[in-house]
């Protein structure tokens, strides 16, 4: 083959490869047709089932709002890749037209009249999918069943299904469930033999894999449990010592049949069931941070023979019919290294049960447990709005329920009474942020700051721009204020001064400051106001995450079996951090490029790597050890 022909062949190959990997956007609409091309808003497909068979890695499917009467399970078997996820999403402009529930609804009520595992709504058996904004209603089994890996389910609703709203099992691992709702699911009625004992809001159970992450989810009025982590492996080599993390999740009114408010002995009604197994020896390591459980038929937070580590940080339990927190299951064979950690939790109503120290190591610190269901330290016990609309970004509704009362008589009982959780991983960074002198108790951090200077701060914001991070704040009034010091942190715990501004004078004023050397990922800022007599106070902390070249760091392979390469430049240290915030391993470099990391000797499970570079910047990323 001569040089010219070789060059022509190479160019042809390059152009061919580009056409193969070209990313395509497809559309689905209620007025569509599966014979259309599906590539424009005016030529949409009619069904999601047809679209998922058409896509390739990197493609996107947008589903227009409306009701899709669906008569068969949508089976997704085609995987994306690590760098080219496949997206199945509500068409986002539709969401802003009127209400945030103006979404595509998959309605199975006509076709699925009985309960059967063959009548699931969506089966996601593939890897690297992002699913956003769908409502799955009245499937004959799970609304959605996931066995794939590295998938994200975001801002979806699972309701009135005949088994758990969303179930992850079949080895599903490294999946994220973000801002989803699951309610009124019940294995009850015609064609059902289980009498309500299987339909949880979220089922992270049976033969589940490792590293499942949930954030901002709500689960209510399901016939069995709100969240269930029960393990019952279908193979002789059971999944064991797997990890499940829940942040900012709510559970209430589980254990009743939504249709007539009835209950029976089969319907467990736990808010958060962390795990358990038939043999009482399987470990489902469960970490719950700022979660809320109330009005459930049984326990708010329940061990249920889980043989792994259970950690509750800043969780709230109120008015549950059983125990507020039950972590004393008998006859459990604990997995090596299992621990129980309860820190900064708030319980009102019911009892808290913990085992003696011979069962497993116990950390019990700065909690408040009261049998009373009332307190003047709480703003409101009115549950109105808990199931109300989310923000258009998927955020939980902003209501007063169970928030701490900053206007209550001092000394406070719950405000500033917690332990600083600087080594707990929360929202993918180290440290649970707080306002004031110390963390508050329970799931809602107040904005209370003991102001000792005559200044009233009404707003503080941080915005990324071309120069760095632009800080802007306004005061409603100032009296005898001397200056304001701007402080910066990479972890929200240790702050350094980066500038100061002299007070403009009496009255209401506006100020701004630009940090031209922010950290590459998370940045925390606060203000220190100093009065003319030398007294000072601090503002609340604001956080901003930047996207820079440092985000290009990657771990290859991940999951890690023995050795991995950390792809990146100017690396000075790598810390391997477990889910209790402990440094399991640390290695240091002078100025490394693509260093290797050996994890030999560490237990399998989910960890975080904290990677430091020569410029002082740090990044935290998730890894799984096999």
């Amino acid at each position: 083959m001569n040089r010219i022909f070789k060059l022509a062949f190479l160019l042809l190959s390059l152009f061919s490869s580009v056409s193969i990997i070209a990313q395509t956007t497809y559309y689905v609409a209620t007025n569509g047709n599966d014979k259309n091309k599906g590539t424009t808003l005016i030529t949409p497909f009619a069904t999601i089932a047809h679209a998922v068979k058409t896509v390739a890695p990197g493609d996107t499917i947008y589903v227009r709002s409306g009701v899709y009467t669906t008569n068969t399970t949508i089976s997704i078997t085609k995987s994306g890749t690590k760098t080219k996820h496949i997206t199945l999403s509500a068409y986002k402009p539709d969401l802003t037209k009127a209400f945030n529930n103006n979404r595509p609804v998959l309605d199975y009520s006509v076709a699925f009249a009985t309960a059967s595992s063959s009548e699931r709504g969506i089966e996601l058996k593939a890897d690297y999918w992002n699913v956003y904004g769908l409502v799955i209603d009245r499937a004959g089994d799970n609304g959605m069943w996931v066995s794939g890996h590295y998938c994200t389910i975001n801002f979806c609703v699972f309701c009135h299904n005949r088994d758990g709203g969303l179930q992850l099992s079949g080895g599903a691992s490294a999946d994220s469930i973000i801002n989803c709702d699951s309610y009124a699911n019940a294995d009850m009625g015609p064609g059902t033999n289980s009498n309500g004992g299987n339909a949880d809001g979220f089922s992270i159970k049976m033969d589940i894999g490792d590293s499942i992450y949930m954030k901002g989810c709500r689960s209510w009025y399901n016939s069995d449990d709100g969240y269930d982590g029960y393990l019952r492996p279908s193979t002789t080599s059971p999944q064991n010592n797997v990890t499940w993390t829940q942040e900012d999740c709510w559970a209430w009114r589980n254990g009743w049949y939504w249709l007539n408010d009835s209950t029976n002995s089969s319907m467990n009604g736990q808010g958060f069931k962390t795990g358990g197994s038939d043999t009482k020896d399987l470990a489902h390591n469960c970490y719950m941070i700022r979660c809320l459980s109330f009005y459930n038929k049984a326990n708010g937070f329940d061990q249920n023979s889980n043989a792994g580590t259970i950690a509750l940080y800043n969780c709230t339990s109120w008015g549950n019919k059983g125990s507020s927190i039950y972590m004393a299951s008998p006859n459990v064979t604990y997995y090596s290294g299992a621990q129980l950690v309860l820190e900064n939790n708030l319980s009102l109503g019911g009892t808290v049960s913990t085992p003696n120290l011979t069962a497993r190591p116990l950390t019990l610190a700065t909690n408040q447990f009261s049998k009373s269901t009332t307190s003047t330290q709480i703003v409101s016990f009115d549950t109105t709005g808990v199931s109300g609309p989310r923000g258009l970004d998927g955020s939980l509704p902003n209501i007063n329920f169970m928030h701490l009362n900053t206007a209550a008589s001092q000394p406070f009982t719950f405000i500033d009474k917690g332990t600083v959780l600087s080594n707990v991983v929360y929202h993918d960074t180290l440290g649970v942020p707080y306002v004031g002198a110390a963390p508050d108790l329970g799931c809602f951090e107040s904005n209370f700051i003991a102001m000792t200077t005559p200044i009233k701060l009404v707003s503080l914001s941080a915005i990324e721009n071309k120069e760095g991070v632009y800080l802007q704040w306004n005061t409603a009034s100032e009296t005898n204020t001397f200056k304001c010091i701007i402080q910066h942190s990479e972890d929200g715990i240790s702050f350094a001064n980066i500038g100061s501004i002299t007070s403009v004078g009496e009255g209401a004023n506006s100020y701004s400051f630009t940090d031209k050397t922010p950290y590459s990922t998370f940045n925390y800022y606060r203000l220190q106001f100093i009065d003319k007599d030398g007294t000072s106070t601090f503002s609340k902390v604001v956080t901003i995450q930047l996207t820079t070249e440092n985000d290009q760091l990657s771990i290859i392979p991940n999951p890690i079996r023995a050795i991995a390469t950390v792809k990146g430049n100017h690396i000075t240290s790598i810390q391997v951090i477990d889910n209790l915030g402990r440094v399991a391993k640390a290695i240091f470099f002078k100025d490394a490029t693509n260093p290797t990391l050996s994890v030999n000797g560490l237990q399998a499970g989910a960890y975080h790597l904290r990677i430091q570079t020569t410029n002082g910047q740090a990044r935290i990323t998730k890894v799984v050890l096999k």
Side-chain angles (χ1 to χ4, degrees):
M1 188 183 292
N2 60 45
R3 287 185 63 190
I4 295 176
F5 185 77
K6 285 182 180 179
L7 179 59
F9 181 79
L10 176 60
L11 291 173
L12 178 62
S13 300
L14 288 173
F15 284 122
S16 298
S17 65
V18 168
S19 64
I20 292 173
I21 64 173
Q23 296 177 8
T24 305
T25 298
Y26 296 96
Y27 299 89
V28 177
T30 55
N31 63 348
N33 190 316
D34 284 347
K35 293 181 180 180
N36 288 339
K37 292 183 178 181
T39 53
T40 69
L41 285 169
I42 61 174
T43 60
F45 294 140
T47 66
I48 295 174
H50 182 73
V52 300
K53 294 177 182 178
T54 307
V55 292
D59 288 351
T60 296
I61 302 168
Y62 280 126
V63 186
R64 300 300 304 270
S65 63
V67 177
Y68 294 79
T69 301
T70 309
N71 55 20
T72 57
T73 298
I74 298 172
S75 181
I76 300 175
T77 58
K78 188 182 297 184
S79 291
T81 68
K82 182 178 181 180
T83 57
K84 292 181 179 293
H85 288 215
I86 300 174
T87 297
L88 170 62
S89 173
Y91 182 58
K92 293 184 179 180
D94 285 351
L95 301 179
T96 62
K97 286 183 178 178
F99 305 102
N100 71 340
N101 61 351
N102 189 24
R103 312 199 212 176
V105 178
L106 280 63
D107 181 1
Y108 292 85
S109 60
V110 176
F112 291 168
T114 61
S116 168
S117 60
S118 65
E119 297 184 349
R120 290 170 175 152
I122 295 178
E123 287 186 341
L124 178 52
K125 302 176 182 179
D127 304 336
Y128 297 109
W129 273 74
N130 301 327
V131 181
Y132 181 89
L134 304 184
V135 177
I136 304 176
D137 189 15
R138 302 177 194 275
D141 195 72
N142 302 125
M144 187 173 189
W145 184 84
V146 179
S147 63
H149 315 284
Y150 301 99
C151 298
T152 298
I153 315 300
N154 195 336
F155 199 31
C156 289
V157 175
F158 313 94
C159 56
H160 310 111
N161 299 294
R162 303 293 290 279
D163 203 338
L166 173 65
Q167 179 163 331
L168 275 65
S169 55
S173 67
D175 297 318
S176 297
I177 316 301
I178 312 295
N179 294 341
C180 289
D181 289 337
S182 190
Y183 65 90
N185 299 289
D187 47 324
M188 308 280 286
T192 308
N193 297 319
S194 49
N195 206 23
N198 287 330
D200 311 302
F202 295 95
S203 303
I204 315 298
K205 63 195 300 186
M206 301 302 184
D207 49 351
I208 187 65
D210 200 11
S211 300
I212 303 302
Y213 174 67
M214 301 185 72
K215 181 176 74 173
C217 293
R218 297 184 295 184
S219 181
W220 72 96
Y221 236 139
N222 300 290
S223 68
D224 201 34
D225 303 310
Y227 303 81
D228 189 354
Y230 198 86
L231 300 180
R232 182 179 288 160
S234 58
T235 66
T236 55
S237 300
Q239 295 280 4
N240 198 7
N241 203 33
V242 293
T243 299
W244 175 20
T245 300
Q246 297 153 282
E247 298 173 353
D248 314 305
C249 293
W250 298 357
W252 72 93
R253 194 60 184 166
N254 293 291
W256 286 275
Y257 186 21
W258 65 272
L259 193 59
N260 58 17
D261 208 34
S262 64
T263 189
N264 61 59
S265 60
S266 297
M267 300 155 71
N268 291 161
Q270 316 286 4
F272 292 80
K273 182 186 287 183
T274 63
S277 61
D278 295 348
T279 50
K280 298 187 178 183
D281 62 354
L282 298 184
H284 202 165
N285 303 306
C286 189
Y287 302 87
M288 292 165 283
I289 308 170
R290 288 186 171 171
C291 292
L292 170 64
S293 186
F294 63 98
Y295 276 176
N296 293 289
K297 174 186 170 183
N299 303 326
F301 297 89
D302 181 61
Q303 177 186 350
N304 194 48
S305 78
N306 186 355
T309 289
I310 303 173
L312 275 73
Y313 300 105
N314 279 100
C315 292
T316 296
S317 180
W318 176 70
N320 294 288
K321 301 299 183 182
S323 297
S324 289
I325 302 173
Y326 185 83
M327 297 293 159
S329 297
N331 305 317
V332 177
T333 303
Y334 287 101
Y335 197 88
S336 176
Q339 297 187 53
L340 174 62
V341 182
L342 303 177
E343 292 190 271
N344 296 356
N345 299 295
L346 173 60
S347 168
L348 296 175
T351 60
V352 175
S353 300
T354 58
N356 59 42
L357 294 179
T358 60
R360 56 185 156 164
L362 171 65
T363 300
L364 194 64
T366 55
N367 304 284
Q368 281 283 351
F369 302 143
S370 171
K371 292 185 179 180
S372 174
T373 57
T374 63
S375 172
T376 58
Q377 303 286 314
I378 302 296
V379 174
S380 174
F381 294 101
D382 182 359
T383 62
T384 301
V386 293
S387 60
R390 292 174 176 267
L392 289 177
D393 61 352
S395 56
L396 291 163
N398 185 14
I399 56 178
N400 289 326
F401 173 63
M402 293 308 297
H403 281 254
L404 305 185
N405 185 7
T406 59
S409 299
Q410 298 190 40
F412 293 128
T413 307
F414 310 136
I415 294 175
D416 290 350
K417 301 299 182 182
T419 300
V420 176
L421 302 175
S422 58
N423 289 320
V424 174
V425 177
Y426 174 73
H427 290 190
D428 286 333
T429 190
L430 277 182
V432 180
Y434 64 93
V435 175
D440 299 339
L441 303 185
C443 62
F444 297 118
E445 178 74 13
S446 73
N447 61 359
F448 178 79
I449 302 170
M451 300 293 286
T452 58
T453 58
I455 184 172
K456 184 177 182 181
L457 179 70
V458 292
S459 66
L460 169 61
S461 61
I463 302 171
E464 181 179 2
N465 61 21
K466 293 181 179 180
E467 295 185 70
V469 174
Y470 176 77
L471 299 172
Q472 198 276 331
W473 63 98
N474 297 302
T475 62
S477 61
E478 296 183 47
T479 305
N480 296 321
T481 307
F482 172 48
K483 66 178 178 180
C484 174
I485 297 176
I486 300 92
Q487 297 189 332
H488 183 211
S489 171
E490 66 172 320
D491 58 11
I493 307 298
S494 301
F495 285 83
N497 297 344
I498 59 171
S500 66
I501 294 179
T502 302
S503 172
V504 173
E506 308 292 313
N509 297 302
S510 296
Y511 302 88
S512 63
F513 178 87
T514 298
D515 177 11
K516 297 183 178 181
T517 57
Y519 294 110
S520 62
T521 53
F522 284 92
N523 291 264
Y524 301 82
Y525 297 93
R526 71 181 182 189
L527 307 176
Q528 181 182 17
F529 299 103
I530 299 179
D531 195 20
K532 291 178 180 179
D533 64 5
T535 58
S536 66
T537 192
F538 294 97
S539 74
K540 67 178 183 180
V541 176
V542 294
T543 308
I544 185 171
Q545 182 182 14
L546 306 186
T547 303
T548 68
E549 292 182 358
N550 196 44
D551 283 331
Q552 297 175 5
L553 285 167
S554 60
I555 315 300
I556 302 175
N558 186 12
I560 306 172
R561 294 191 178 276
I563 297 176
T565 299
V566 180
K567 301 286 288 184
N569 300 319
H570 309 300
I571 295 173
T572 58
S573 69
I574 303 172
Q575 292 179 316
V576 184
I577 301 166
D578 67 19
N579 272 300
L580 288 176
R582 301 170 299 192
V583 177
K585 183 170 186 176
I587 53 178
F588 300 90
F589 313 94
K590 184 177 181 181
D591 186 351
T593 298
N594 302 335
T596 58
L597 168 66
S598 171
V599 296
N600 289 327
L602 298 182
Q603 286 189 346
Y607 292 80
H608 284 73
L609 298 188
R610 186 178 190 276
I611 303 167
Q612 191 89 18
T613 56
T614 55
N615 62 1
Q617 298 175 339
R619 182 185 174 190
I620 295 175
T621 189
K622 292 181 180 179
V623 294
V624 176
L625 275 53
K626 291 293 188 182

